[in-house]
Amino acid sequence: MVQPRTYPHGVTCWIDTEQPDPAEAARFYAGLFGWTLTDAVPPGAPGTYLIATIDGQDVAAIGPGTSDTAAWHTYVAVDDADATAAAVTRLGGTVRAGPEDAGPGGRAATCTDPAGAEFRLWQPRRRLGAQLTNTPGTWNFSDLHTPDRDAATAFYGPLFGWLAVDMEQGAGTMIQVPGYGDHLAATVDPGIHERQASAPRGFADVIGALVVVPAGEPARWQVTFTAADRDDSAATAERLGATVVTSSDDLWTRNALLRDPQGAEFTIAQFTPPDGEW
């Protein structure tokens, strides 16, 4: 039996998108990423929440939006949603909704940080979080785009135990949860430290990046999916009705920022480390 993937407190654990037309979103993302979608809402109950899987493993979800705006959302695993929500307020953030039970799956809250970036808390019960990551068609990272690095670390550090670290080898500023790599090594990825021997020091603890944006640009959490081939995936997305907003290459990845047919933006990234695959 495959051991379930678990997420310690402070580790980003799940993503979903709210869309005006979930069925249309299902058509697009199934075509782009090869997802199988199953409604988690029982028959006869109101609403819909489509769980996306690859090879039977949860990777993301699609739900109905409360407005005409489509967007991707990032969830952070917490031991206690109520206690963490109280800490959000104490540290200068805002709790927009919840905490409340999301059926038997877990307990959730919607929050914004002091700069206005929205994120969500997830106290897992039945649904532990994404079970397949970092393979084509699945979630890679969520990155915080913020105009003030110091303010962001002053908020998220005490809340989740995060460290913002300027990594070696030109990898940029990464968000670490100390000990996360050891957790992975002890659970679902026993070879992570050996496989990442050539990676920047501490990379196994990384959960995302911190990107400083110009003043006036909205703070946000940006979701990135893994692509086997950036150009092929971008072309497929365009055929399915998406827009390629930008594309770029750096030392580690080939990226494209896409806008799906209902307006939600996300990134696809082809991993191209300088010394080959890890």
Side-chain angles (χ1 to χ4, degrees), residues 26-77:
R27 177 202 67 82
F28 171 77
Y29 286 103
L32 178 60
F33 293 139
W35 291 351
T36 298
L37 291 134
T38 305
D39 200 343
V41 176
T48 186
Y49 193 70
L50 303 174
I51 301 294
T53 60
I54 291 179
D55 296 332
Q57 300 187 76
D58 293 356
V59 297
I62 298 170
T66 57
S67 69
D68 292 335
T69 302
W72 278 96
H73 305 291
T74 296
Y75 292 70
V76 182

Side-chain angles (χ1 to χ4, degrees), residues 17-261:
T17 179
E18 293 179 342
Q19 300 266 341
D21 186 342
E24 165 59 20
R27 177 202 67 82
F28 171 77
Y29 286 103
L32 178 60
F33 293 139
W35 291 351
T36 298
L37 291 134
T38 305
D39 200 343
V41 176
T48 186
Y49 193 70
L50 303 174
I51 301 294
T53 60
I54 291 179
D55 296 332
Q57 300 187 76
D58 293 356
V59 297
I62 298 170
T66 57
S67 69
D68 292 335
T69 302
W72 278 96
H73 305 291
T74 296
Y75 292 70
V76 182
V78 295
D79 295 330
D80 186 323
D82 294 83
T84 307
V88 166
T89 302
R90 188 169 62 250
L91 290 164
T94 303
V95 178
R96 300 290 184 186
E100 59 187 356
D101 289 339
R107 189 163 174 81
T110 299
C111 308
T112 53
D113 70 18
E118 182 182 303
F119 62 97
R120 298 185 175 186
L121 309 179
W122 183 248
Q123 179 185 339
R125 291 172 181 156
R126 181 178 296 177
R127 292 201 177 275
L128 302 177
Q131 294 300 298
L132 183 64
T133 62
N134 301 318
T135 62
T138 72
W139 180 36
N140 172 227
F141 279 134
S142 290
D143 299 331
L144 175 61
H145 292 233
T146 184
D148 190 331
R149 169 177 170 162
D150 291 342
T153 55
F155 174 75
Y156 289 106
L159 187 65
F160 296 132
W162 291 356
L163 300 176
V165 178
D166 297 321
M167 306 214 82
E168 302 166 347
Q169 302 181 38
T173 302
M174 294 293 178
I175 301 167
Q176 290 179 326
V177 173
Y180 182 48
D182 291 339
H183 171 83
L184 291 172
T187 55
V188 295
D189 194 353
I192 186 170
H193 292 305
E194 293 77 13
R195 192 176 66 255
Q196 293 187 0
S198 62
R201 184 172 46 193
F203 194 80
D205 289 341
V206 167
I207 64 159
L210 192 155
V211 180
V212 177
V213 299
E217 184 174 321
R220 63 195 184 278
W221 278 93
Q222 183 75 26
V223 172
T224 297
F225 294 92
T226 301
D229 185 299
R230 186 270 313 269
D231 294 336
D232 284 351
S233 293
T236 299
E238 284 188 305
R239 288 196 300 271
L240 292 166
T243 301
V244 178
V245 180
T246 60
S247 60
S248 62
D249 297 352
D250 59 34
L251 181 63
W252 294 91
T253 57
R254 304 181 69 214
N255 305 294
L257 176 64
L258 306 180
R259 184 178 297 122
D260 76 18

